[in-house]
Amino acid sequence: VPAGINIPNYDDIRQNEGFKNVSLGNVLRASYGAGDKPVTFILERDQALFKAFKGPAFEVQVGIHELLGHGSGRLYHKNSKDSVAFLESKVKCPWDASKVLDGPFYDEGTTWDSTFGKIASPYEECRAECSGIYLCLEKDVLQVFGHSDVVKGQVHDIIYINWLLMVRAGLMGLEFFTPETKTWRQAHMNARYVILRVLLEAAQGLVKLKLINNDTDVLVHLERDLIPTVGKKAIGDFLEKLQVYKSMGDFENASQ
């Protein structure tokens, strides 16, 4: 059951006409319940905090995910006014200033889904989820959701638990992977696993997975103080490429 929806689900309508962002309050409220049992994969030291803040943190994530994740980003089609103006502007590649972005752009009459095919849904969910954990680091964003007790230089509990939720979700997502066919049965779970991999590859002690009970279980260690530095850079760099490849219609690079 979705906790939020960005409608309509057509990029051209969103881009040219507008959209609505819907949060389903009953679904969000259901996420507040934690129960007495320990939460899987979560360290003992984080159990109480996780249970206390997972509902409010999820509400922030859903809001950003739908509004600023799915709701942002322009698509450029070949020979359109937008693409012509874009080429004239000579926009430099964000991660390589020696290069200028010049397409390939979407073919006339094509859409995001028809161009990106099977990876369109998980790719888009990955972009939206990254938007959520990246932008929740902003003080102004937290204040919109009523969290005004932000202290400069400190990682707010909402931020920490939101990131911890994402790391745990990456592990939980493996339930939706079919090894025999090497396919994912759910787009959001695929996206969350990819984000977990990005955070693990960032290294520097940001995220560690510790095997326990004779390697039959695992615990997540998320270094709270590294979220605004190592974590933010890793997700920011990844999100930047996700957005550029989507806007440019660059399926070749996006699919690697």
Side-chain angles (χ1 to χ4, degrees), residues 5-241:
I5 309 170
N6 184 282
I7 50 178
N9 197 24
Y10 299 99
D11 284 293
D12 56 333
I13 301 298
R14 290 174 180 168
Q15 182 168 307
N16 299 314
E17 305 295 335
F19 57 88
K20 292 290 185 180
N21 184 46
V22 179
S23 291
L24 304 179
N26 57 333
V27 178
L28 288 170
R29 284 192 293 274
S31 70
Y32 278 64
D36 297 325
K37 294 183 179 179
V39 181
T40 55
F41 308 135
I42 300 300
L43 292 170
E44 177 61 32
R45 73 179 191 195
D46 291 328
Q47 287 285 335
L49 192 68
F50 187 91
K51 291 180 180 181
F53 284 94
K54 78 183 190 77
F58 186 54
E59 183 176 10
V60 170
Q61 177 68 12
V62 170
I64 304 172
H65 173 116
E66 301 298 342
L67 181 62
L68 301 176
H70 291 315
S72 66
R74 179 174 292 274
L75 306 186
Y76 292 89
H77 286 76
K78 293 177 180 177
N79 303 318
S80 67
K81 291 182 179 179
D82 287 338
S83 65
V84 171
F86 185 88
L87 290 173
E88 290 176 348
S89 299
K90 298 186 181 301
V91 179
K92 292 184 179 180
C93 176
W95 57 88
D96 186 352
S98 66
K99 296 181 180 180
V100 173
L101 296 175
D102 56 0
F105 302 135
Y106 291 84
D107 289 328
E108 295 180 49
T110 62
T111 65
W112 157 249
D113 287 299
S114 66
T115 301
F116 281 70
K118 291 182 179 180
I119 73 168
S121 290
Y123 188 104
E124 176 63 10
E125 295 306 334
C126 196
R127 191 177 70 94
E129 290 285 46
C130 284
S131 298
I133 60 174
Y134 186 83
L135 292 175
C136 79
L137 292 165
E138 298 296 323
K139 178 180 178 180
D140 291 343
V141 171
L142 289 184
Q143 289 180 336
V144 168
F145 291 90
H147 306 294
S148 57
D149 55 337
V150 179
V151 179
K152 186 177 181 179
Q154 295 183 13
V155 177
H156 195 282
D157 288 337
I158 291 293
I159 296 173
Y160 178 60
I161 297 304
N162 193 32
W163 280 64
L164 191 56
L165 274 165
M166 186 59 65
V167 173
R168 179 176 181 267
L171 286 173
M172 299 288 287
L174 287 169
E175 296 180 33
F176 294 81
F177 179 71
T178 304
E180 293 77 11
T181 59
K182 296 183 179 181
T183 57
W184 290 85
R185 304 188 303 277
Q186 217 286 336
H188 291 81
M189 296 305 183
N190 187 356
R192 291 160 185 164
Y193 174 73
V194 170
I195 293 172
L196 170 60
R197 290 296 301 267
V198 170
L199 295 177
L200 285 170
E201 290 172 10
Q204 300 184 57
L206 174 64
V207 175
K208 295 179 182 178
L209 302 180
K210 180 181 179 181
L211 292 171
I212 60 172
N213 299 331
N214 295 319
D215 296 347
T216 61
D217 203 354
V218 64
L219 289 175
V220 170
H221 182 283
L222 172 63
E223 187 56 54
R224 183 170 182 150
D225 293 338
L226 292 180
I227 292 175
T229 53
V230 178
K232 182 178 182 179
K233 177 171 173 45
I235 293 300
D237 291 347
F238 184 53
L239 179 56
E240 194 171 59
K241 292 184 177 181

